Amino acid sequence: IALSGVPITLLVTVVALLIALPLGFLLALTRINQVPVLNWFSRIYVSFVRGTPIIIQIFIVYASVPLILSLFFERYNININVYDINPIWYAFIVFSFSTTAILIEVFRSALSTVNKGQLEAAQSVGLSNFQAYLRIVIPQALVVALPNICTATVNLIKATSLGYAMSLQEITLKAKVAANVGYNYVEAYIDIFLVYIILCSLVEYGFKLYEKRLRRYK
């Protein structure tokens, strides 16, 4: 039964990463280059996420977003019941929000390891900033960042287990609902444990294979 929740868990993980990776990288650049306002915003954002449990972030989003949407819909006479919205959309928001903050620090520390002289050398031979980052800086930074990105991904997969608080039909909720029928809670928790172990191990293995391919940039 727990396996039936794997597609939802993976979908939330993939969507959150697709949103968080580019946002985290761009906001990390604002930290590295000390961009006014955005640098300050990134610092506050990271501090907020680090200082609050993700379950609290879930409750805040799950309670506040429907309220904001209902006020918006009422104002513009949009006939949509916010409470009929699939919880997966709230999961996308929460886990993207949380993962972005983590990746900001991952990319910031990785970009700091690349010598600034390489960027200046690339610019001196006529490459634009975009080309220099794409061909020189990012490949090197990615080698350093990949282990931490792997850790962030595994933590994200495990964090999706808190999606049950939003009635998200992921691994944990599926197993708990099935356990309620025959009160087989021990078996359900063992199933959850095994599914997460296998899933996270496969993700780690995939990252290790990709890391081997990137070693040529060291």
Side-chain angles (χ1 to χ4, degrees), residues 81-92:
N81 185 357
V82 294
Y83 299 103
D84 289 337
I85 296 175
N86 193 314
I88 199 168
W89 293 103
Y90 300 116
F92 292 155

Side-chain angles (χ1 to χ4, degrees), residues 1 14 19-21 38 43 51 68 86 133 165 185 188 192 194-195 198 200 210 212:
I1 298 299
V14 170
I19 295 171
L21 283 168
L38 288 177
R43 286 174 179 270
I68 294 170
N86 193 314
Y133 269 99
Y185 294 107
I192 294 169
L194 292 174
V195 170
I198 294 169
C200 293
Y210 188 53
K212 287 180 181 178

Side-chain angles (χ1 to χ4, degrees), residues 141-157:
L142 195 57
V143 175
V144 178
L146 203 62
N148 289 327
I149 294 174
C150 176
T151 300
T153 303
V154 170
N155 288 337
L156 172 59
I157 291 171

Side-chain angles (χ1 to χ4, degrees), residues 15-16 23-24 80 152 159 164 204 209:
V15 171
L23 276 179
I80 296 176
Y164 75 88
E204 287 179 351
L209 290 179

Side-chain angles (χ1 to χ4, degrees), residues 152-182:
T153 303
V154 170
N155 288 337
L156 172 59
I157 291 171
K158 292 185 291 186
T160 59
S161 63
L162 297 173
Y164 75 88
M166 298 182 288
S167 301
L168 184 67
Q169 297 292 317
E170 44 70 59
I171 295 168
T172 304
L173 185 61
K174 287 275 190 178
K176 290 181 74 173
V177 169
N180 288 337
V181 177

